[in-house]
Amino acid sequence: MREYFLVALVTAVVTYLLVPPVRAFALRIGAAPEVRERDVHKVPTPRLGGLAMFGGMAAGLLVATNLPYVGPALAQQSGQTAMALLAAGGLIVVTGFLDDWLGMDALVKLGGQIAAGGLLVYYGVTLRYLPLPSNMGGELSLDTNLQVVITILIVVVTINAVNFVDGLDGLAAGIVGIAALATLVYSMVLSQSLQATRINLTAVVAALLIGMCIGFLPHNFNPAKIFMGDTGAMLIGLILATSLVTIISSVPSAALQVNRFPLLLPVLLPVAVMVLPLADLIMAVVRRTSAGQSPFAPDRGHLHHRLLDIGHSHRRSVLIMYAWTFLFAFALVALSVEGVPVAVFPPIIAVALAILVLLSRQRWRTTGRNGRGGAHAANRMPPPADSSDSQSGTAAATATPRATATTG
């Protein structure tokens, strides 16, 4: 546990310290679009925060590879996970940087995401099998072609889901950080009960991701001083996808119990930690295609936009979505640790969803002359049409509209 904490701490500190020079660099090269008439923020806000996050990840990897317990985990699964994260992360950061600075065609950016997934596969980070209980045949092995296709698909879907949810100050970093924390907790609990488990690889990747998000959040929480942009959203999406790929095939079949959460958790946990981004992604695609638009056309129909439209403040909307993510992820982990039967899971989630829906629909009742919440919220200028770098009313927007493969 100490080594995971050290990796997360180093990553967070380096990320935090790198943000100010990255912000100055973004302003210097003009990666801070001019404020449009419909924007709420008053001054141009720089993007490229993902550069600091990548620097933090690199520092965390450097420390992790030299630790006695964590280091060997990065060399598991016949792959070089550290090199995989650096190579794939470097490519996705370059892709995001060019898009944040100069703009990029949607298909070109999608190609960069696929290539990043291909680099993970090249260095041995793939979904090799699906876990099944021993009385059902044990592990379901995947052939080489399926490994490549499914791994790249998970990478692309996760990157775009994270980018779609990146619409409010601190939202994407917070949600991904909570997801990574749940993954780390599950990994640590399981590693204590199983000997020589491959779950340690998932744990160290999750620790890196936690550090990246914690280090960036102080600069990005409302009111944000800098946005992560596609550079950061695609990077943390890639690292989250890596943790999901490794966790699915981390549990030995002998450890699985029939009609108990450990049977389903390696598959359910990735869905639980991604429930909000995936739901937002699916609804956006359905909404836009049913209207005859491109799935990547910007609009204001995302979950965070709806929370703002019904009167919640910027920060309250973010905290509600944090709570949603925390509930789904940690409820699943907690129930699995206790060995609760699978049949208990659906009603618990149904009750939790009902509570959170009621919470999110309740208007912020704080009134007064500060203009926050209630009727005052309706009189505020609406947030700009969504963009992966528009933070719901306080984010910078691109100088010219463009459809992108990861616009949220």
Side-chain angles (χ1 to χ4, degrees):
M1 180 175 179
R2 289 192 299 268
E3 292 190 2
Y4 296 133
F5 176 77
L6 178 61
V7 170
L9 179 63
V10 169
T11 305
V13 170
V14 173
T15 300
Y16 178 83
L17 294 177
L18 285 178
V19 169
V22 166
R23 184 179 186 276
F25 171 70
L27 290 171
R28 185 179 183 86
I29 68 172
E34 293 297 326
V35 179
R36 299 172 301 181
E37 182 178 353
R38 62 183 179 181
D39 290 333
V40 173
H41 61 287
K42 302 301 182 183
V43 296
T45 306
R47 292 174 288 184
L48 304 182
L51 294 178
M53 302 174 89
F54 181 76
M57 184 193 74
L61 279 172
L62 178 63
V63 171
T65 53
N66 290 283
L67 295 175
Y69 182 74
V70 169
L74 291 170
Q76 288 180 6
Q77 296 188 350
S78 301
Q80 305 174 53
T81 308
M83 284 301 302
L85 292 176
L86 288 173
L91 176 60
I92 211 70
V93 163
V94 170
T95 303
F97 170 78
L98 293 176
D99 184 56
D100 286 333
W101 184 26
L102 303 174
M104 182 177 291
D105 183 77
L107 292 179
V108 175
K109 188 157 57 172
L110 179 61
Q113 298 169 9
I114 294 173
L119 282 173
L120 290 181
V121 173
Y122 176 78
Y123 283 102
V125 181
T126 61
L127 183 63
R128 286 182 168 78
Y129 65 86
L130 296 175
L132 294 175
S134 55
N135 62 344
M136 295 177 61
E139 302 166 353
L140 176 61
S141 298
L142 303 175
D143 62 36
T144 303
N145 291 332
L146 275 177
Q147 291 179 25
V148 173
V149 171
I150 295 178
T151 300
I152 293 177
L153 181 62
I154 292 174
V155 168
V156 172
V157 170
T158 306
I159 287 175
N160 283 279
V162 171
N163 212 346
F164 267 58
V165 82
D166 182 26
L168 297 178
D169 295 355
L171 182 57
I175 286 179
V176 172
I178 293 170
L181 182 59
T183 304
L184 177 63
V185 170
Y186 166 64
S187 303
M188 293 175 61
V189 170
L190 194 59
S191 67
Q192 292 177 0
S193 59
L194 299 176
Q195 297 296 325
T197 176
R198 286 165 290 189
I199 200 69
N200 297 330
L201 174 59
T202 301
V204 67
V205 174
L208 287 167
L209 190 53
I210 291 170
M212 294 164 66
C213 294
I214 290 178
F216 186 68
L217 265 175
H219 301 281
N220 185 237
F221 201 75
N222 182 257
K225 302 178 183 67
I226 186 172
F227 303 142
M228 67 174 66
D230 279 3
T231 311
M234 293 201 296
L235 176 62
I236 62 175
L238 174 72
I239 308 305
L240 180 60
T242 304
S243 71
L244 303 185
V245 167
T246 58
I247 200 173
I248 291 175
S249 57
S250 290
V251 183
S253 58
L256 301 178
Q257 307 172 31
V258 177
N259 198 35
R260 296 286 174 176
F261 274 109
L263 167 63
L264 300 175
L265 190 60
V267 177
L268 287 181
L269 186 59
V271 177
V273 301
M274 287 289 293
V275 65
L276 277 186
L278 284 176
D280 203 22
L281 173 64
I282 293 170
M283 288 189 294
V285 170
V286 171
R287 180 176 68 249
R288 293 166 183 177
T289 54
S290 62
Q293 300 176 332
S294 164
F296 309 115
D299 64 19
R300 287 195 71 257
H302 289 295
L303 294 173
H304 48 269
H305 289 139
R306 296 183 183 186
L307 288 173
L308 291 171
D309 289 343
I310 65 174
H312 292 296
S313 67
H314 190 124
R315 292 191 176 188
R316 186 175 175 85
S317 298
V318 170
L319 293 176
I320 287 173
M321 297 189 75
Y322 282 1
W324 242 325
T325 305
F326 185 91
L327 176 77
F328 274 103
F330 280 92
L332 189 61
V333 172
L335 291 174
S336 71
V337 171
E338 295 299 323
V340 177
V342 175
V344 176
F345 181 63
I348 290 178
I349 290 299
V351 172
L353 272 175
I355 294 173
L356 283 172
V357 167
L358 290 175
L359 174 65
S360 64
R361 290 183 62 84
Q362 182 181 9
R363 282 184 178 270
W364 182 240
R365 298 183 182 279
T366 302
T367 58
R369 299 179 181 180
N370 56 8
R372 292 181 296 177
H376 295 284
N379 295 327
R380 291 198 301 264
M381 185 181 298
D386 73 343
S387 158
S388 61
D389 48 30
S390 65
Q391 308 291 326
S392 185
T394 61
T398 50
T400 57
R402 49 185 171 83
T404 64
T406 57
T407 298

